[in-house]
Amino acid sequence: MRKFLAIVLAALLMLSCASFAMAEASEGNVVTFAMATEPNLDPHWNAGATGAHVQSTIREGLYRVTATGIELAGAESVDVNEDATVWTFKLRQDSVWNDGQPVTAADYVYAMQRLVDPAVGSTYMRDYGQFLLNGTEISDGAKDLSELGVKAIDDYTLEITLANPCTFFDTILTYSTFYPLRAETVTEDGNGNWAWDVEKSITNGSMNMTFCDETQQIVLEKNDLYWDKDNVLTDKIVIKLVDDSNTTLALLETGEVDIIDSFPSEEVERLQEAGYYHYTSKLATNFLLINTQDQDGANVLADARVRKALSLSIDRDYLCDVLMLGTKSPAVSYVGHGFPGSTADQDYRTEAGDLFATDVEQAQALLAEAGYPNGEGFPVITCTYTNVSADYATMFEYLQANWEDALGITVQLEPMENAAMTELRDAGKFDITPQGWGADYMDASNMLSIFVTGNFINAGRYSSEVFDNAYNTSLQTVDQAARMELLHQAEYQLVVEDCGIIPLYHANAVALYDENVLENVQIAANGKIMLTQITHK
């Protein structure tokens, strides 16, 4: 009897597996991908890489990012005036929303007006709205939305007038903040939750969102109305939302997902040997965010000499090459390699050179100058970080031991849940915490923009008149060499003079997958996996 039941069960299992395989085959080329939870899908409320990644598959702007750079997408041509203050776009007339209605210049006007609308209070107003003529004044309530420098000349001609000359505005327009929106599909709920609603997901990108559970899974399916649909190779993308990198890796190795972009660094050698590990340089930097607020003289970290001592005592080569097994590149400043310099042939970082290196003796001298020779009298400081990353645990255990050995100070480690950590960071209630920032667009100014006084991402409350003046002047400078010099000045003030943050390493853009299963996996110039180009072997 048991033998008979076993045979029946085996047959049922084979039948179910066959049915699953047939169902998957009927759906065409299905790619499963794991990323961090709850990416915001509202173009004006999102402030994270995961949200931007999803949005770039379901929405499209005037430009798009390719494997090698950027190219026109929603527009077929652009005309830029002599001083780069007026950008006129001819839109594609075959670009439509996924309900068949045409994408018009009015949709771009609405989206950019929403970006600066004080009633909306967009997350990225300070970073992007400031580029548009009257954007800042409108956001401050001094001017009306109708005065924004964005006009629909006709249905397919869009004119954008800038507050100041900007020769790199094309790179800025690649970011999701400038994607068009259909006014009647947007619900202002103050947090972007409307964008999770599949029924309201009227989009114009290569994929449509057909299922969405913001805590578990998002399903995207090929948009047959997309103007470039013939070059979209995936028929369906299933995105598993997982915060823990160990869990993400387990999903890959058990075959529950096809591809991932994060993993515990201690696994790198095994993954390389298995042929799973593929990477390229990423325009991103991980750093220590320092609470620089002078709290009635009680915050020892408000002293730049203390911050410099902490920074100079760190052996970044050891941290990256040994502890993180070569999965990161040591930071010799804040802005890494890969950004344009004074000319198209120059690299921003190469031009400026290294800004610091390990120097324990100087670190000790600075700490003594600040009043704490050999760490005497130095209060206990706390490093707070999320407990979901093995990299953070490795990094802070090293920093704790290193600072005690080199400087004689005591450091307390406090791992916590991600939500709690985010709340503390945003409230400025921390001593030291890790943060990363990847470029939204391919210009060094974007990396530096988050440290302008008052920027919402600047949770350490770093503020420098010298930095602000150099950065803000760069935004009004047309000459590329002069603009780069101003950005170099701003960066030097941030990481050398003030040590407002402590840069640690530059991340790699990673794609982990089985080469026997997937092919045509490409990483875009902005470090994001090009999900719509992947095929199964």
Side-chain angles (χ1 to χ4, degrees), residues 86-100:
V86 181
W87 295 60
T88 305
F89 294 89
K90 289 293 182 181
L91 305 185
R92 302 189 63 90
Q93 296 193 29
D94 56 353
S95 177
V96 299
W97 298 99
N98 57 9
D99 64 356

Side-chain angles (χ1 to χ4, degrees), residues 183-292:
E184 70 271 21
T185 69
V186 176
T187 302
E188 300 299 355
D189 53 20
N191 50 28
N193 285 345
W194 67 272
W196 290 103
D197 190 340
V198 172
E199 298 301 318
K200 295 180 179 179
S201 188
I202 303 300
T203 55
N204 67 325
S206 58
M207 308 292 286
N208 296 325
M209 184 169 68
T210 58
F211 177 84
C212 183
D213 178 341
E214 62 267 31
T215 64
Q216 301 291 328
Q217 181 170 288
I218 300 173
V219 178
L220 311 177
E221 297 186 16
K222 185 173 181 177
N223 178 9
D224 288 332
L225 296 181
Y226 180 54
W227 66 271
D228 197 26
K229 66 180 180 180
D230 292 342
N231 289 315
V232 177
L233 306 183
T234 49
D235 296 301
K236 184 176 181 179
I237 303 171
V238 178
I239 301 173
K240 305 284 186 181
L241 301 176
V242 184
D243 261 335
D244 183 75
S245 60
N246 287 292
T247 302
T248 300
L249 180 57
L251 290 174
L252 175 68
E253 296 193 299
T254 57
E256 294 179 68
V257 298
D258 295 316
I259 187 167
I260 61 176
D261 63 359
S262 65
F263 68 101
S265 62
E266 66 268 21
E267 299 284 354
V268 65
E269 291 180 338
R270 183 174 65 81
L271 293 170
Q272 288 172 335
E273 291 174 0
Y276 283 2
Y277 187 79
H278 311 81
Y279 75 98
T280 187
S281 299
K282 186 177 182 180
L283 303 178
T285 304
N286 285 70
F287 53 92
L288 295 179
L289 193 63
I290 311 296
N291 191 335
T292 63

Side-chain angles (χ1 to χ4, degrees), residues 374-506:
N374 300 315
E376 295 173 14
F378 196 90
V380 175
I381 57 175
T382 302
C383 292
T384 314
Y385 54 96
T386 61
N387 57 9
V388 299
S389 171
D391 283 351
Y392 282 162
T394 299
M395 179 176 78
F396 279 108
E397 286 167 6
Y398 159 72
L399 292 174
Q400 181 186 46
N402 178 71
W403 286 335
E404 181 175 357
D405 181 58
L407 303 176
I409 66 176
T410 301
V411 177
Q412 176 178 296
L413 304 186
E414 188 177 359
M416 60 175 59
E417 295 295 325
N418 189 53
M421 181 64 252
T422 300
E423 184 176 345
L424 277 183
R425 184 182 64 237
D426 292 348
K429 297 179 179 179
F430 64 90
D431 292 335
I432 298 176
T433 190
Q435 187 165 348
W437 184 250
D440 293 336
Y441 53 88
M442 288 169 283
D443 191 84
S445 62
N446 183 229
M447 295 295 294
L448 294 164
S449 67
I450 64 173
F451 297 109
V452 171
T453 301
N455 189 292
F456 78 102
I457 296 173
N458 184 6
R461 275 63 171 179
Y462 169 74
S463 180
S464 164
E465 185 176 347
V466 174
F467 176 91
D468 290 351
N469 286 341
Y471 177 80
N472 290 329
T473 303
S474 77
L475 299 181
Q476 304 170 35
T477 303
V478 176
D479 182 79
Q480 181 71 354
R483 188 170 72 87
M484 288 298 105
E485 179 57 32
L486 287 164
L487 292 180
H488 291 317
Q489 291 175 20
E491 184 186 26
Y492 188 86
Q493 188 70 33
L494 171 67
V495 298
V496 178
E497 292 293 334
D498 298 333
C499 197
I501 58 168
I502 299 179
L504 293 175
Y505 57 81
H506 304 296

